Amino acid sequence: MSDRKPVLEIEDLSVAYQTANGLVNAVNDVNLKVYPEEIVGLVGESGSGKSTMAYAIMRLLKGDAFVTKGHIKVMGEDLYALSPKELRKFRWNKISMVFQSAMSALNPVMTVQTQIVDTLTSHRPEMSKAEAIKRAGELLDVVRIDRKHLNSYPHELSGGMRQRVVIAIAIALSPGFVIMDEPTTALDVVVQRSILDQIREIQQVEKFAVLFISHDFSLVAELASQVAIMYAGRIVELTKSGTLRLGERHHPYTEGLLRAIPHLTADEVVIEGIPGTPPNLVNLPSGCAFYPRCPLATDECRKARPNLYQTDNAIIECHLFKGDREVQHV
Ligand SMILES: Nc1ncnc2c1ncn2[C@@H]1O[C@H](COP(=O)(O)OP(=O)(O)OP(=O)(O)O)[C@@H](O)[C@H]1O
Ligand SMILES: [Mg+2]
């Protein structure tokens, strides 16, 4: 590993949506680094800001969303400083994304081959059509779809196959960094499992780094080396995934999520959700955003936002960890 510069460097990033009710602060003061060939997980309840952060990284924020502060660098490059032409060259060549609504990412009236070839030739104008067709076939091999489906339309494929095509398109130009936003959520458990195994295999061959977004903790823990836990747009913990279990030292929110994983007792499946609801992002609580739902909250949690503390396995934004070493950012 010669190049240890991060492929992704997020510094103090905040993103908001302008709405009739005011600014919805969807991402708040986020710092995060992803290094080459690394898989980092991003988890959090629905509405915690995961997709918004992904769109901000891709410079694909839509409509009323905008970056209110901070910087994002992808492979040392500030995407927000690029011209539209430069951006077009950068996206998909260096960074790509599998979208949360991947099923609708495919064009229903184009064959698989045409969609892959279009992606290749529009981002690599120097690539000939013949080369692009050859690469399309290779890509189907990579995601283990029979090449006969090059001529299929999306509706002729199963959900799992469509998702594999979307992944093939995301890795078509060999990017160094791929964001996967809930890439398997819409699929049944068996198909999910096989696609996940495949993502892992492909990643080991193609060596791209991944930001893997999911609300499924066990899935992320299995795939990623580190996991960022998001609450109300803040990364409240960054932890080694190997220690993501109850009994280790974690943020109370992380513990809540861990308890929310369905588990078996002697004769029943138990699911304990986290009581309460996420805060209003127009008006975040003054202290720790999680304090209204935290079983361990004190008066201080209500008043002051916690600093970050480094434990053996994690960096945690929580007053309970005051005895640990304070750090500036994750
Ligand atoms: N277009 C929009 N206008 C206003 N608020 C929005 C808009 N899109 C998203 N939000 C708000 O921003 C917050 C973050 O949304 P986001 O989609 O990033 O969450 P998420 O973590 O990806 O959730 P999920 O797990 O459901 O995909 C939510 O509170 C959401 O309501
Ligand atoms: Mg999302």
Side-chain angles (χ1 to χ4, degrees):
M1 263 178 262
S2 53
D3 184 10
R4 292 306 296 167
K5 285 202 194 109
V7 290
L8 173 70
E9 224 174 333
I10 300 180
E11 218 182 278
D12 208 23
L13 178 75
S14 295
V15 182
Y17 293 90
Q18 181 80 61
T19 71
N21 299 323
L23 280 184
V24 174
N25 298 295
V27 174
N28 296 299
D29 320 306
V30 161
N31 289 283
L32 186 67
K33 285 194 177 101
V34 177
Y35 286 90
E37 300 181 26
E38 184 184 28
I39 302 183
V40 172
L42 179 62
V43 295
E45 289 166 298
S46 187
S48 55
K50 305 179 298 294
S51 295
T52 305
M53 186 170 120
Y55 277 87
I57 295 168
M58 292 291 286
R59 197 178 151 187
L60 282 174
L61 287 170
K62 278 180 250 159
D64 303 328
F66 56 98
V67 171
T68 56
K69 76 175 165 64
H71 296 281
I72 305 164
K73 279 190 179 161
V74 178
M75 287 160 206
E77 198 75 62
D78 178 356
L79 262 65
Y80 287 79
L82 299 180
S83 70
K85 194 174 159 209
E86 290 168 329
L87 185 61
R88 192 175 161 78
K89 253 185 111 173
F90 200 85
R91 261 199 229 125
W92 259 259
N93 274 306
K94 307 273 184 170
I95 177 174
S96 71
M97 179 161 165
V98 175
F99 294 94
Q100 186 164 4
S101 52
M103 295 311 176
S104 54
L106 294 172
N107 185 329
V109 298
M110 278 162 75
T111 64
V112 168
Q113 175 170 300
T114 313
Q115 307 204 35
I116 300 178
V117 167
D118 271 13
T119 307
L120 289 167
T121 52
S122 67
H123 291 88
R124 289 255 173 95
E126 73 281 7
M127 194 181 256
S128 72
K129 179 111 190 262
E131 277 176 296
I133 290 174
K134 183 165 168 274
R135 175 80 175 139
E138 290 165 6
L139 282 163
L140 285 204
D141 295 346
V142 171
V143 295
R144 285 204 228 113
I145 296 178
D146 193 307
R147 285 189 187 210
K148 72 177 187 213
H149 289 299
L150 280 169
N151 296 316
S152 299
Y153 289 88
H155 71 87
E156 296 171 316
L157 306 175
S158 68
M161 280 159 92
R162 281 200 291 257
Q163 191 60 350
R164 287 189 173 91
V165 172
V166 171
I167 292 168
I169 291 173
I171 62 168
L173 295 154
S174 308
F177 179 42
V178 182
I179 300 174
M180 298 192 177
D181 192 357
E182 310 259 9
T184 62
T185 307
L187 306 167
D188 72 63
V189 177
V190 178
V191 180
Q192 255 191 32
R193 163 69 30 215
S194 96
I195 292 198
L196 219 64
D197 289 344
Q198 244 179 336
I199 290 173
R200 203 192 333 244
E201 273 177 42
I202 299 167
Q203 191 267 344
Q204 275 162 11
V205 175
E206 306 258 332
K207 308 278 187 207
F208 47 80
V210 182
L211 182 65
F212 190 90
I213 300 175
S214 177
H215 56 250
D216 185 335
F217 236 152
S218 36
L219 208 120
V220 171
E222 207 181 302
L223 205 64
S225 54
Q226 290 199 88
V227 180
I229 289 121
M230 208 167 200
Y231 187 73
R234 297 173 178 168
I235 291 180
V236 296
E237 175 168 350
L238 180 70
T239 180
K240 287 182 194 159
S241 67
T243 56
L244 254 183
R245 54 178 170 265
L246 288 168
E248 300 284 345
R249 299 179 74 214
H250 289 297
H251 193 289
Y253 175 57
T254 310
E255 289 194 354
L257 291 175
L258 285 168
R259 256 182 241 112
I261 299 172
H263 50 271
L264 290 166
T265 64
D267 52 6
E268 56 179 349
V269 180
V270 182
I271 307 174
E272 308 166 49
I274 305 175
T277 51
N280 177 354
L281 296 173
V282 178
N283 256 320
L284 276 180
S286 53
C288 169
F290 187 59
Y291 93 81
R293 299 169 75 188
C294 183
L296 304 168
T298 63
D299 217 29
E300 185 179 23
C301 306
R302 186 170 52 79
K303 288 185 187 141
R305 183 164 169 191
N307 294 326
L308 289 167
Y309 299 96
Q310 171 87 62
T311 69
D312 285 346
N313 299 309
I315 294 174
I316 300 174
E317 184 183 310
C318 175
H319 289 305
L320 291 173
F321 290 80
K322 268 196 174 141
D324 293 81
R325 185 166 63 87
E326 194 179 319
V327 289
Q328 285 311 305
H329 49 71
V330 302

